Amino acid sequence: MSDFYLSATDLQRAAQYYEKHFPEEARNSITIANRAILNEFIVPYTNDLNRWIRMGTPVDWLHNPTNDLEFTWGINRHWHMLDLGKAYLMKGNPLYVTAFIDHFRSWRQQNPVPVNLVYDEAVFFQKPGPWRLLETGLRVQSWISAYKYMEASPLLDEGFQAEFRQGLYEHAEFLTRYLGSTEINHAIMHMQGLFMIATFYHQHPRSPHWRQVAMERLELCLLHQLGEEGIQVELTTHYHNASIEMFGTPYRLGEISGHPFSAWYARCLRQMAAFTEALIRPDHQSTGIGDSDWVGDGRQRLTLLGAILDDDDLMARGTDSSECLWLLGVEKYERCLRLQASSSPVLSSRAFPQTGYYVMRDKYQYLFFDAAAMGGAHGHADALNVEWMWKNQLFFTDTGRYTYEEGEWRRYFKSTRAHNTITVDGLDQTPYLSTQQWGEPEAQARTLRWESNDRYHFIDASQDGYTHLPDPVTHRRWMLAGVEIPLLLIVDWLEAEAEHTLEQRFHLHPQADIALRINEAGEMTADMSYEASSITLTMQWVTAGIGKGTFELTEQPGWVSEVYGSKSETSVIQGKTDFSGKVGILTLCLPADHTDQVTHVTTCQLEPDLMRLALSYVQGEEKGYIVIDNDTLQWTKEKK
């Protein structure tokens, strides 16, 4: 029976491979380890990522020199110990082991196990400190992994080993004394840590109890947190993909240690792959729904999941990942790479109708449409949001999450105005209360029609976030994209009795160069070009039910957050007008590159009273006609 993912020999080989094949990551690990020797840290998932923060000698584990409460929680997860261990395997410097021992001992001395801790404080609502269950579960995983990486060091003598086992015992008992709700993602990490302790410290007479509790509660977490379509219930890309790792690594450790999880557990893991894969764009980044980063490659999760389940097909659809190397070892990892080198995955459109997410693909484009529920505290007010990529150029993008710290930036990134949809009277679709809390009523979206075929992609959906105003406002959106004909139509229908102000926004790729103008027909247009690219995008607007010339088109400043704690400026195309009654806004998007025949729209008619669009266009020697109403869609073509 094994008590860890890899043996000492396999870990040494993995370290050599890591240094050779992941040189940048290896250098980062050594830098983090060298700084940790000096008691200096940068804590991931905080708003202070640009400087090394000295924490004193010994480290003061409750010192927080930032304004971000996440810093205290983050540093008490001891993620830096993983890099101390990797650096030791690569370089053999005993100072890395000494730092690990010093940090372990100083932490335990400063933070004895709480006595009679109030339940709510331990489980979730604790003041920033080291014994929230989330940090407890994550910290022991850092401890055990670092210990196994350094196990060959003579500095880990019998005295330290006894201290180490006592620390694990204290953590295991704490994790079984305070049990967080299995409906919250924190509980996965609580039990992930407990299962790891039970496996590593299997000699302890309490280990069977720890293991049983961890396995049963991980299954409850799967039951409560995975929807019928295999999507984690918070409905965000980040937490879904993170859950694959959190559920998957105990599964692998169970197989290795001789305590396997159920076949049902494996089926649930396998089901999660569909959503992860669907949201991988052609540029290999993933659409970042809700509290997710702008940058993230879901293919690495496919590799991990395939390796955990011993599924060649899943591994082949993934990509290289050092995370898998440290779990699998060199031989199995290289097998993953061979499978990927001989595979050419072909992805198709995918609908998750029970959830409300739609991904539409063809040879040239990727479209994501959000008609889902909020998803809880990590959701954003983003109903009817769209992300669009054409010929590998991202045009409209989700903006990321940036921070969990209460304040204007948290509110901005969660707001409706930070997404590619419509706001009414400057309000969010769902009232914002605080960083982790939405008000009532929560906006609900409803999909009315969806088609994806070899000629076009179409979706018709509505959201009710503004129907709760004193004067209710309805919002319905159509989106039609041509497969053979390069055009995207977005039609927004709104209706109200009294006067309101609407703002329609499209968040652009940061590299977009924008020119706003009025064309010869007196129509508002926006032309986008991109550095070192032949791709261009022209956007035109046609309105009905709104006074001529009252739809104001402007370029506004916006923000995207590539990773938690960082943000950069981007441009937002905003259309704004006052309205009452029934109105329609057609946003016509015409992408092109130098090899394309340009599409010209020749006529367009919007009829809000009938909820009808009629449009004709010319492309080369072909004429086309599009008619959409409340019930039907007709797209016909003929030669000129």
Side-chain angles (χ1 to χ4, degrees):
M1 183 186 77
S2 177
D3 63 359
F4 193 66
Y5 304 105
L6 300 177
S7 68
T9 301
D10 289 336
L11 284 170
Q12 191 61 62
R13 289 189 61 205
Q16 295 169 359
Y17 193 95
Y18 182 62
E19 193 168 17
K20 180 177 179 181
H21 295 277
F22 295 92
E24 184 176 355
E25 290 185 46
R27 285 193 296 270
N28 287 340
S29 289
I30 291 169
T31 297
I32 291 169
N34 289 342
R35 291 285 187 165
I37 290 173
L38 303 174
N39 296 341
E40 296 176 353
F41 306 89
I42 288 178
V43 180
Y45 302 110
T46 64
N47 290 336
D48 208 334
L49 301 177
N50 298 317
R51 64 187 178 107
W52 294 95
I53 297 175
R54 183 162 179 79
M55 296 293 288
T57 303
V59 173
D60 180 352
W61 297 103
L62 295 183
H63 175 56
N64 186 346
T66 76
N67 295 319
D68 189 351
L69 299 179
E70 294 283 339
F71 183 91
T72 299
W73 287 322
I75 199 165
N76 281 278
R77 296 169 185 175
H78 291 179
W79 282 326
H80 71 281
M81 289 183 174
L82 298 170
D83 294 295
L84 283 169
K86 292 173 182 177
Y88 177 73
L89 283 170
M90 288 186 282
K91 301 302 181 183
N93 187 341
L95 290 177
Y96 298 134
V97 185
T98 300
F100 168 64
I101 293 172
D102 289 347
H103 292 171
F104 174 84
R105 284 176 169 162
S106 66
W107 187 90
R108 289 191 67 225
Q109 184 176 13
Q110 294 173 33
N111 300 289
V113 182
V115 178
N116 298 324
L117 186 66
V118 175
Y119 175 80
D120 281 349
E121 291 186 2
V123 174
F124 189 71
F125 298 103
Q126 183 194 23
K127 299 174 184 178
W131 281 100
R132 186 173 66 159
L133 288 178
L134 177 58
E135 280 62 59
T136 306
L138 291 173
R139 183 168 52 248
V140 292
Q141 296 178 63
S142 300
W143 285 2
I144 292 171
S145 295
Y147 181 95
K148 296 298 292 187
Y149 294 164
M150 300 176 180
E151 196 168 16
S153 171
L155 295 175
L156 302 181
D157 56 22
E158 290 184 6
F160 177 77
Q161 291 175 33
E163 293 177 51
F164 190 71
R165 289 192 295 270
Q166 179 62 24
L168 294 181
Y169 167 78
E170 293 166 353
H171 277 62
E173 290 297 289
F174 189 84
L175 286 166
T176 51
R177 185 182 317 134
Y178 296 95
L179 298 174
S181 169
T182 54
E183 296 182 356
I184 300 174
N185 71 63
H186 287 204
I188 316 174
M189 291 168 273
H190 307 166
M191 295 299 105
Q192 186 184 17
L194 182 62
F195 188 79
M196 201 169 185
I197 298 172
T199 304
F200 175 84
Y201 198 3
H202 57 86
Q203 306 95 330
H204 195 283
R206 292 277 288 169
S207 69
H209 172 67
W210 300 335
R211 182 171 56 250
Q212 180 181 354
V213 171
M215 294 181 77
E216 289 179 356
R217 292 187 67 78
L218 281 167
E219 291 206 343
L220 284 173
C221 286
L222 263 180
L223 183 66
H224 294 154
Q225 295 184 39
L226 204 65
E228 293 183 15
E229 295 176 314
I231 301 174
Q232 203 268 346
V233 294
E234 290 174 285
L235 307 184
T236 73
T237 317
H238 172 81
Y239 285 94
H240 177 86
N241 288 341
S243 294
I244 288 175
E245 181 270 330
M246 293 186 287
F247 284 120
T249 51
Y251 180 87
R252 175 161 175 79
L253 197 55
E255 293 286 309
I256 294 168
S257 65
H259 299 285
F261 284 77
S262 66
W264 171 83
Y265 193 102
R267 288 195 297 272
C268 289
L269 285 176
R270 195 179 305 279
Q271 190 184 18
M272 296 179 77
F275 183 64
T276 294
E277 187 167 34
L279 266 69
I280 300 171
R281 301 188 313 234
D283 63 351
H284 298 149
Q285 298 301 314
S286 298
T287 293
I289 310 166
D291 275 348
S292 303
D293 293 328
W294 194 59
V295 173
D297 189 343
R299 296 179 306 158
Q300 295 181 348
R301 283 295 183 258
L302 295 181
T303 303
L304 177 67
L305 193 52
I308 286 169
L309 297 171
D310 197 23
D311 185 320
D312 285 359
D313 189 42
L314 275 178
M315 285 189 284
R317 302 207 298 272
T319 190
D320 58 322
S321 164
S322 64
E323 179 183 36
C324 292
L325 169 66
W326 291 104
L327 285 176
L328 303 177
V330 173
E331 290 183 2
K332 289 185 177 180
Y333 178 72
E334 287 193 325
R335 183 167 177 272
C336 286
L337 296 184
R338 289 193 296 272
L339 288 168
Q340 290 159 10
S342 60
S343 174
S344 299
V346 177
L347 300 179
S348 59
S349 296
R350 183 67 189 260
F352 300 91
Q354 291 177 321
T355 307
Y357 289 141
Y358 298 83
V359 176
M360 291 152 273
R361 298 178 184 269
D362 55 56
K363 180 180 179 180
Y364 293 125
Q365 67 190 328
Y366 166 94
L367 283 146
F368 168 78
F369 192 88
D370 186 341
M374 182 79 72
H378 288 293
H380 290 186
D382 56 0
L384 311 191
N385 182 48
V386 59
E387 187 168 72
W388 181 36
M389 170 174 277
W390 186 80
K391 287 194 174 181
N392 227 37
Q393 176 61 58
L394 184 62
F395 290 140
F396 307 148
T397 182
D398 200 280
T399 53
R401 55 177 167 164
Y402 180 52
T403 184
Y404 292 162
E405 180 183 358
E406 186 60 82
E408 63 173 302
W409 287 114
R410 177 61 169 160
R411 183 162 191 165
Y412 170 78
F413 277 94
K414 286 173 72 80
S415 71
T416 304
R417 67 190 178 99
H419 297 86
N420 305 316
T421 185
I422 283 196
T423 61
V424 173
D425 297 336
L427 301 172
D428 289 324
Q429 296 162 341
T430 299
Y432 177 95
L433 295 184
S434 68
T435 176
Q436 298 288 336
Q437 187 178 9
W438 290 103
E440 296 289 343
E442 181 180 309
Q444 298 293 324
R446 185 163 66 105
T447 303
L448 304 169
R449 293 177 286 178
W450 178 72
E451 293 183 71
S452 184
N453 53 54
D454 58 3
R455 296 174 54 222
Y456 60 78
H457 312 289
F458 176 69
I459 191 160
D460 172 4
S462 63
Q463 61 90 11
D464 66 1
Y466 300 117
T467 61
H468 308 290
L469 297 177
D471 177 63
V473 180
T474 61
H475 176 207
R476 184 168 170 180
R477 170 169 276 190
W478 297 345
M479 186 174 73
L480 174 69
V483 173
E484 299 171 343
I485 306 299
L487 62 79
L488 172 71
L489 309 179
I490 298 174
V491 186
D492 289 298
W493 303 105
L494 295 100
E495 181 178 357
E497 294 292 332
E499 186 171 86
H500 297 269
T501 300
L502 71 82
E503 293 168 310
Q504 178 202 60
R505 293 181 178 88
F506 294 99
H507 294 75
L508 307 181
H509 191 284
Q511 294 178 356
D513 185 22
I514 306 167
L516 300 180
R517 61 184 176 86
I518 303 295
N519 65 15
E520 294 177 355
E523 298 166 331
M524 300 158 289
T525 68
D527 296 320
M528 270 72 74
S529 59
Y530 303 86
E531 184 178 350
S533 172
S534 61
I535 301 295
T536 62
L537 173 65
T538 296
M539 298 175 66
Q540 302 173 8
W541 283 263
V542 178
T543 65
I546 299 170
K548 185 173 177 59
T550 62
F551 188 74
E552 180 185 9
L553 187 67
T554 58
E555 177 185 353
Q556 299 287 327
W559 298 87
V560 294
S561 175
E562 291 195 358
V563 296
Y564 188 101
S566 71
K567 66 181 186 303
S568 57
E569 281 196 77
T570 193
S571 293
V572 179
I573 297 292
Q574 175 181 284
K576 181 177 181 180
T577 189
D578 295 330
F579 77 99
S580 62
K582 296 180 179 180
V583 300
I585 302 170
L586 165 65
T587 307
L588 174 62
C589 307
L590 301 173
D593 68 20
H594 65 278
T595 64
D596 289 323
Q597 292 180 316
V598 178
T599 302
H600 296 283
V601 173
T602 52
T603 64
C604 180
Q605 185 178 15
L606 277 178
E607 299 177 83
D609 288 337
L610 300 175
M611 198 170 285
R612 182 178 184 273
L613 163 70
L615 178 146
S616 63
Y617 66 87
V618 174
Q619 188 198 38
E621 297 300 314
E622 186 175 89
K623 295 167 61 177
Y625 306 91
I626 298 170
V627 178
I628 311 173
D629 62 23
N630 192 47
D631 302 306
T632 61
L633 189 161
Q634 300 175 35
W635 190 329
T636 58
K637 294 183 289 186
E638 63 183 41
K639 293 297 182 182
K640 289 172 57 177

